[in-house]
Amino acid sequence: MAHLDSLSDSVVDTAVHRLPDPRPADAGPGDIRWWPPRLLEPRWLADHVDSFDLLHLHFGFDTATPASLRAVLDTVHAAGKPVVFTAHDLHNPHFRDDAAHRACLDVLIPGVDELITLTRGAADEIEQRWGRRPTVIAHPHVAPLDRVGAPRTAHDGFVIGLHAKSFRANLDPGAVVDTLVRTVTSMNDSGGDVTLRIDIDDADHPRAGDLLAMSGRPGVDLRVHPRFSDDDLWHYLSVIDVSVLPYRFGTHSGWLEACFDVGTAVIIGDCGHHGDQRPVTQFGFGPDRFDVGSLERAVRSTYLLRDHPPKATRSDRVSERDAVAAAHDAVYRRALRHIRTDVAARAS
């Protein structure tokens, strides 16, 4: 899915040239697996620090330590170059125990030259916790532009999507599936035409049992399949009317952005700052809490508004993308200006 790559297509006149992610020596053609960014390897970075003017960090420091991140900042700064950090996750969605991630943020947020986040709520939390106010820049479109605002795939009834998404640590579909099935049954008993579509791409996962047990239940469409390709994902989002995202913890969501692009409504837990990202319907859900009634109400209210889901238009997303590109350009120029001033001050 496109993220900052989309900014390179902007018509905004900037001097920004984004280098490709350095690939590990053992990565073959077409290899799409995740690997730790080589730019966060202090020794590799020291050998290549002259190949760029500014380092912009988003993700990928899950395996880093506070000491290694300090070494990264020191290496880049010693070369007279700035570091920009976009704080997407204030609680890492891959780990329930967030102590290691918080320790890394304690290094990055005070130590970088420019700080960005995606929402005002996250900016408020960062300012409260670290005493530093980030620049707020919205997430650009995730879907390819030819899919943004495009006509949706015709289908029968109202389809609620619950996708296990490889059972990421912050996603707890098993906790909500009984409530969703019960709500769908009640709505259908009252004359509705509602289906709960459950998708699983790892049926052998220890947490899949609660979802697999729904097979054959009235109103349930259970599907087990390999991980979606990008095209499969866009088709899936176009044939469900709402995506239920039972996040126990987290901050922002790329999946939410993808839904907004293609006109799929979102019901999401009220943790993090998802409600500041795009229009969503939230229910009470956190690490140790679940407000069952709020999820039932969220499903029913989304059904009542089914003909008017929150939906991006292509023109709005293009305008937003250009604004996001311009905002990044301004942040980069400011970071470069400040670092050069600091270098000149030290030299004198």
Side-chain angles (χ1 to χ4, degrees), residues 36-345:
R38 305 216 68 190
L39 286 160
L40 296 185
E41 299 174 18
R43 181 172 297 180
W44 191 95
L45 176 63
D47 291 340
H48 295 82
V49 72
D50 292 333
S51 66
F52 60 85
D53 300 301
L54 175 150
L55 176 62
H56 188 170
L57 175 62
H58 289 265
F59 303 106
F61 53 94
D62 292 5
T63 59
T65 65
S68 70
L69 291 175
R70 287 191 191 94
V72 167
L73 296 180
D74 289 345
T75 298
V76 179
H77 286 154
K81 299 177 179 182
V83 181
V84 176
F85 174 48
T86 296
H88 293 261
D89 299 319
L90 302 184
H91 187 143
N92 191 316
H94 298 285
F95 302 99
R96 186 179 179 93
D97 183 349
D98 202 44
H101 184 72
R102 288 197 306 271
C104 288
L105 293 182
D106 286 341
V107 172
L108 291 172
I109 289 177
V112 298
D113 301 279
E114 288 285 340
L115 183 64
I116 299 170
T117 194
L118 306 182
T119 59
R120 183 173 297 178
D124 291 342
E125 182 178 345
I126 289 168
E127 187 171 29
Q128 181 179 23
R129 290 170 61 179
W130 287 278
R132 185 173 187 182
R133 186 73 185 180
T135 299
V136 176
I137 304 178
H139 199 296
H141 63 90
V142 171
L145 278 177
D146 61 354
R147 294 184 181 271
V148 175
R152 292 174 56 79
T153 303
H155 59 274
D156 295 330
F158 182 79
V159 182
I160 302 167
L162 180 66
H163 197 298
K165 293 171 58 181
S166 299
F167 293 96
R168 194 172 66 177
N170 73 329
L171 193 71
D172 193 358
V176 302
V177 69
D178 282 334
T179 299
L180 291 174
V181 170
R182 187 169 59 250
T183 304
V184 166
T185 300
S186 173
M187 293 169 72
N188 287 337
D189 287 345
S190 300
D193 184 10
V194 185
T195 300
L196 174 62
R197 174 170 165 173
I198 302 172
D199 284 74
I200 304 173
D201 58 19
D202 185 3
D204 295 325
H205 195 281
R207 294 165 58 201
D210 290 336
L211 303 183
L212 293 170
M214 298 297 127
S215 179
R217 296 281 292 272
V220 172
D221 177 8
L222 176 67
R223 304 192 186 193
V224 179
H225 51 75
R227 181 188 175 102
F228 282 150
S229 67
D230 280 1
D231 284 342
D232 291 336
L233 174 62
W234 304 129
H235 175 73
Y236 164 76
L237 291 178
S238 75
V239 296
I240 64 172
D241 295 285
V242 56
S243 182
V244 177
L245 300 177
Y247 293 157
R248 289 283 192 184
F249 50 87
T251 311
H252 302 112
S253 170
W255 187 280
L256 184 162
E257 295 283 350
C259 289
F260 182 64
D261 283 338
V262 300
T264 303
V266 170
I267 295 173
I268 192 168
D270 61 0
C271 62
H273 301 287
H274 305 104
D276 286 341
Q277 260 189 274
R278 303 293 170 189
V280 297
T281 302
Q282 294 187 283
F283 67 101
F285 205 55
D288 302 300
R289 61 186 177 87
F290 174 26
D291 182 345
V292 171
S294 67
L295 177 56
E296 294 174 347
R297 292 189 294 274
V299 171
R300 292 179 183 276
S301 65
T302 304
Y303 177 76
L304 292 174
L305 298 173
R306 61 192 179 278
D307 293 331
H308 303 285
K311 184 177 184 178
T313 66
R314 176 170 177 156
S315 61
D316 284 347
R317 277 303 215 182
V318 168
S319 297
E320 181 184 60
R321 179 199 63 187
D322 292 345
V324 169
H328 278 87
D329 183 70
V331 167
Y332 295 158
R333 290 178 184 275
R334 190 164 62 235
L336 288 165
R337 186 166 59 249
H338 288 171
I339 199 76
R340 288 165 183 161
T341 300
D342 290 345
V343 170

